[in-house]
Amino acid sequence: MAISSPDSGAPRLRHWSLALLAFAQLIYSLDINIVFVALPEIGAGLGFSDQTLQWVVSAYTVCCGGFLLFGGRAADLLGQRRVFICALWLYAFSSLAGGLAWSPVVIVIARAVQGIGAALLFPSTLSLINRLFEEGPSRNRALAVWGGAGASGLTLGSLAGGILTSVYGWPSVFFVNVVLAAVAIFAAFYVLPKDSLQNKRRSFDLLGALTVTVGATLLVYALVQGPEDGWLSGYILASLILAAVFLLMFAVIESRSHDPLMPVRLFRNRSLVTGMVITFIYMGTFGALPYFLTVLFQAVMGYSALQTGLAFIIPSLAIFAGTQFGARLSNRLPVRTTLLIGFLTGIAGTVALALAACSGTSYANFMPGLVISGAGQGIIWTAMWIAAGSGVTDSEQGIASGMASTTLNVGNAIGIALLIALSGSGAESLSLEASRGNLANALQLAFYLAAAGQITGLLISRLLPHKAITDLSVAST
């Protein structure tokens, strides 16, 4: 199914729709960080062991990564508004269960369901934007607003997590999602156009959905758990082998299906494929920076959880400004040029962070790098989603969004794992009470390695067609 386009004479309706979709992205981003701050209290309150507490985060990450393609295709076939509302219901009920949890098992299951809700919400929200706003300046501005809301959500997540946990206790970080989701559900019935029935004859590729969901879930599980259990452990090796088998089965099924979950012809869209590679590199490098900055602020500079959240205000504002500037650039320049500008800016900022990452440094020394890197991230964030959605038909925006968001999720898991392994800045360093100087050196290396990965993204961006709109519009025909 697809949604009917809003009437061209109703710009006010589109504005309200965009406001709701931006609010949904804020909820999605808020949930990424809000639980991190509350983890120690959750562990103490529910009796988690040190080895199992990480699954409050990992259950969400694994299920989100595994169900993104399913969520994207469901939005295309079942209706983007319908899947959007369903995702918010999952968020509301799972958040309520998480806040009321009385045991580790209950809260881990609740977080897993939250992850499935996120896997439905992200691609349905992105595909709604690509459907409601025509390719070009209108869509670029909408993506900038959407991306800016996501940047705001990351900061608000850290701040809200610290404040709510300290004042009301850890359950409040779950209950707040119930209220936010309820508001979004109510608004969706009034501001989003109803789903049409133009694709009612299309079938759902159940076998393809099952194989890709199982394969992607096993892959993300291995990537998330590998650094903890060891890459050569039996569970990790078995997960990687089974993931490869299921994903290979999925590829064979899709090549033979009359109505595939992920049409192979989409890979002929050079913009979409390049956008997917860029989302992978983006989250493996820029997306990993908050992890290493958090370690640096807390373990090297001695910040509390609340102080760490406050420290992220400046980079989040820079990212927000970058998303708006990225839309302006994309309206005046080819998307390829905008991405090149974003990567050059981001690389300069990441190198500045590396130069400042030494023991005993002050927050003021990090500010130039945080601002410059954040601005680059914002520019790239807007431009890479423009690239991923260009030249894709309205009926396939959901699966295209699911494809790009899957590489985004997998890229983050692989990027953090690689940077930790290569820099030696993982949790084992902290458990051995490494000196602050040694840890600072390891984090400095991680920043340099991230900058090297960003250079790869810079080179990949050159593969995009120079005349973005003209060339991309025929990519999928």
Side-chain angles (χ1 to χ4, degrees):
M1 294 185 185
I3 65 168
S4 56
S5 298
D7 186 84
S8 59
R12 186 174 182 180
L13 175 61
R14 287 197 298 274
H15 291 160
W16 280 111
S17 297
L18 177 58
L20 173 60
L21 296 174
F23 182 64
Q25 179 63 9
L26 185 144
I27 295 174
Y28 174 88
S29 300
L30 186 82
D31 200 49
I32 293 175
N33 281 354
I34 196 170
V35 173
F36 278 103
V37 181
L39 278 179
E41 286 76 10
I42 293 174
L46 296 180
F48 275 95
S49 66
D50 293 337
Q51 291 74 31
T52 57
L53 181 60
Q54 64 171 325
W55 274 102
V56 177
V57 175
S58 297
Y60 178 95
T61 303
V62 169
C63 288
C64 180
F67 281 81
L68 278 167
L69 278 176
F70 175 86
R73 199 50 169 162
D76 287 335
L77 299 181
L78 302 179
Q80 293 157 333
R81 189 181 83 156
R82 185 174 290 113
V83 173
F84 177 84
I85 293 173
C86 176
L88 290 170
W89 276 113
L90 285 178
Y91 253 110
F93 281 117
S94 60
S95 296
L96 181 63
L100 297 174
W102 59 89
S103 72
V105 173
V106 172
I107 200 168
V108 168
I109 293 175
R111 286 289 286 168
V113 176
Q114 268 190 331
I116 297 173
L120 298 176
L121 184 64
F122 189 94
S124 62
T125 301
L126 183 56
S127 60
L128 276 165
I129 288 177
N130 289 337
R131 174 75 170 134
L132 292 171
F133 297 89
E134 293 182 358
E135 190 171 325
S138 176
R139 182 184 296 176
N140 297 350
R141 287 191 292 268
L143 287 171
V145 173
W146 172 77
S152 302
L154 292 175
T155 299
L156 289 174
S158 298
L159 289 174
I163 295 172
L164 289 173
T165 302
S166 60
V167 177
Y168 299 107
W170 66 261
S172 61
V173 304
F174 290 93
F175 291 145
V176 69
N177 275 334
V178 179
V179 178
L180 296 177
V183 172
I185 291 170
F186 177 81
F189 286 102
Y190 292 93
V191 303
L192 293 181
K194 292 182 179 180
D195 298 318
S196 70
L197 300 177
Q198 65 183 46
N199 291 329
K200 62 182 179 180
R201 295 182 181 178
R202 300 196 63 174
S203 61
F204 187 75
D205 182 9
L206 180 60
L207 191 57
L210 290 174
T211 52
V212 74
T213 300
V214 173
T217 301
L218 288 169
L219 176 60
V220 176
Y221 166 80
L223 294 174
V224 169
Q225 198 67 15
E228 180 73 19
D229 293 348
W231 294 105
L232 298 180
S233 68
Y235 286 117
I236 300 303
L237 289 176
S239 297
L240 289 172
I241 293 172
L242 288 173
V245 170
F246 277 103
L247 293 176
L248 181 60
M249 290 172 57
F250 171 70
V252 173
I253 292 168
E254 297 306 282
S255 65
R256 298 179 178 180
S257 175
H258 295 293
D259 199 3
L261 177 75
M262 187 174 67
V264 177
R265 68 178 180 278
L266 288 177
F267 287 96
R268 294 197 294 268
N269 183 334
R270 185 156 57 129
S271 178
L272 171 60
V273 173
T274 305
M276 290 170 60
V277 176
I278 291 173
T279 60
F280 178 89
I281 294 172
Y282 178 94
M283 281 304 289
T285 57
F286 289 112
L289 293 182
Y291 170 83
F292 295 102
L293 286 170
T294 299
V295 174
L296 189 143
F297 289 148
Q298 294 184 337
V300 177
M301 300 175 68
Y303 284 10
S304 66
L306 183 57
Q307 287 174 318
T308 301
L310 294 171
F312 278 104
I313 290 180
I314 287 179
S316 296
L317 291 175
I319 293 173
F320 180 87
T323 60
Q324 312 310 303
F325 187 55
R328 293 176 180 269
L329 287 176
S330 297
N331 289 338
R332 292 169 172 79
L333 301 170
V335 176
R336 183 178 75 170
T337 304
T338 302
L339 283 168
L340 294 176
I341 293 172
F343 271 110
L344 286 171
T345 305
I347 291 167
T350 305
V351 171
L353 290 175
L355 294 174
C358 56
S359 181
T361 191
S362 66
Y363 185 79
N365 292 334
F366 280 99
M367 285 185 61
L370 292 172
V371 172
I372 297 171
S373 175
Q377 290 179 60
I379 294 171
I380 298 168
W381 179 265
T382 299
M384 72 185 187
W385 293 115
I386 293 172
S390 297
V392 180
T393 62
D394 290 337
S395 62
E396 293 177 334
Q397 282 291 347
I399 188 58
S401 300
M403 291 163 64
S405 52
T406 296
T407 55
L408 188 84
N409 189 283
V410 173
N412 187 241
I414 291 178
I416 291 179
L418 282 177
L419 292 176
I420 288 175
L422 294 174
S423 66
S425 56
E428 66 276 3
S429 300
L430 299 178
S431 65
L432 293 175
E433 299 183 355
S435 68
R436 290 187 175 185
N438 290 339
L439 181 56
N441 290 336
L443 293 170
Q444 186 177 53
L445 177 57
F447 290 132
Y448 278 128
L449 291 170
Q454 292 158 15
I455 293 174
T456 304
L458 176 73
L459 298 176
I460 294 294
S461 299
R462 295 181 59 84
L463 297 177
L464 281 170
H466 183 66
K467 295 180 180 179
I469 300 302
T470 301
D471 290 351
L472 301 180
S473 63
V474 298
S476 62
T477 60

